[in-house]
Amino acid sequence: ALEAIAFAVVGGSAGQERKRLEAEIQAMEAFSRELFVELHELVRARIGELQAHTWRGRVMNVLGNCCSAVCVYKIVMSTANLLLRRGGAGNEDPATRLLNIMLVHLRVPLDVSYWVPILSLLFVGYLAFANTRQFIQRLLTVFRSVSTSVTSNSLALLLSEVMAMYFAACVLLTLRVVPRRDR
């Protein structure tokens, strides 16, 4: 009888120790995954930094600055048009104006009135897609740093709603480039 009591006492504490160790192992594995993700992001950032010093990287940087300038211009003009109640699909945005000038002055044999709105829409669509992609990446970074096991589901729902609204806003702003007859 004494052996059964000793086995129950020792076995009970061994069972508790085992559960504690399993919980600690799970926590360490989660920590290891987070470290791997952080290391992967650091390696990608370093590769991007090294590529930025190449000829291609400098060209991409200039193009990125041009795209940023177009985005800032569109934000400012959209805000001004909204506040002053002016504008519409008939107005020409800077991408359309730049394409029109380039095609006319370079004497490219294209129907400018047909191709400029299409090329401008493709350019603005690409900007909206790239902008949405960057926005989602930033939101996921915030989500990883803020979420816990308790708040992860509610934060995921909130972030999916925010991303959907952001994408819808980008699509609606892109539709401003399309002439009314082509909508």
Side-chain angles (χ1 to χ4, degrees), residues 63-172:
L63 289 175
N65 288 337
C66 291
C67 289
S68 295
V70 168
C71 287
V72 168
Y73 175 81
K74 288 188 78 59
I75 289 171
V76 169
M77 291 310 295
S78 295
T79 304
N81 290 339
L82 183 65
L83 293 176
L84 300 175
R85 296 191 185 277
R86 64 178 186 195
N91 290 351
E92 200 173 61
D93 63 297
T96 304
R97 197 173 308 125
L98 179 67
L99 282 171
N100 196 2
I101 290 170
M102 282 178 29
L103 291 176
V104 168
H105 287 295
L106 294 176
R107 293 185 174 89
V108 176
L110 288 175
D111 183 13
V112 175
S113 62
Y114 175 75
W115 283 103
V116 165
I118 292 172
L119 293 174
S120 177
L121 178 64
L122 289 174
F123 177 69
V124 172
Y126 168 74
L127 285 178
F129 174 74
N131 196 7
T132 303
R133 184 174 166 267
Q134 283 293 97
F135 181 72
I136 289 171
Q137 287 177 345
R138 296 289 182 248
L139 278 180
L140 287 176
T141 303
V142 169
F143 176 72
R144 285 189 195 114
S145 66
V146 174
S147 71
T148 62
S149 61
V150 176
T151 63
S152 65
N153 289 339
S154 56
L155 272 176
L157 182 62
L158 175 68
L159 291 181
S160 66
E161 291 291 327
V162 169
M163 287 187 283
M165 288 189 295
Y166 185 80
F167 181 73
C170 286
V171 168
L172 289 175

Side-chain angles (χ1 to χ4, degrees), residues 8-36:
V9 170
V10 172
S13 65
Q16 290 173 349
E17 181 69 17
R18 180 183 170 119
K19 287 181 182 178
R20 187 186 67 76
L21 286 175
E22 286 176 356
E24 189 174 332
I25 288 171
Q26 288 177 350
M28 293 291 189
E29 286 175 348
F31 182 65
S32 173
R33 282 190 298 271
E34 288 296 321
L35 283 178
F36 177 76

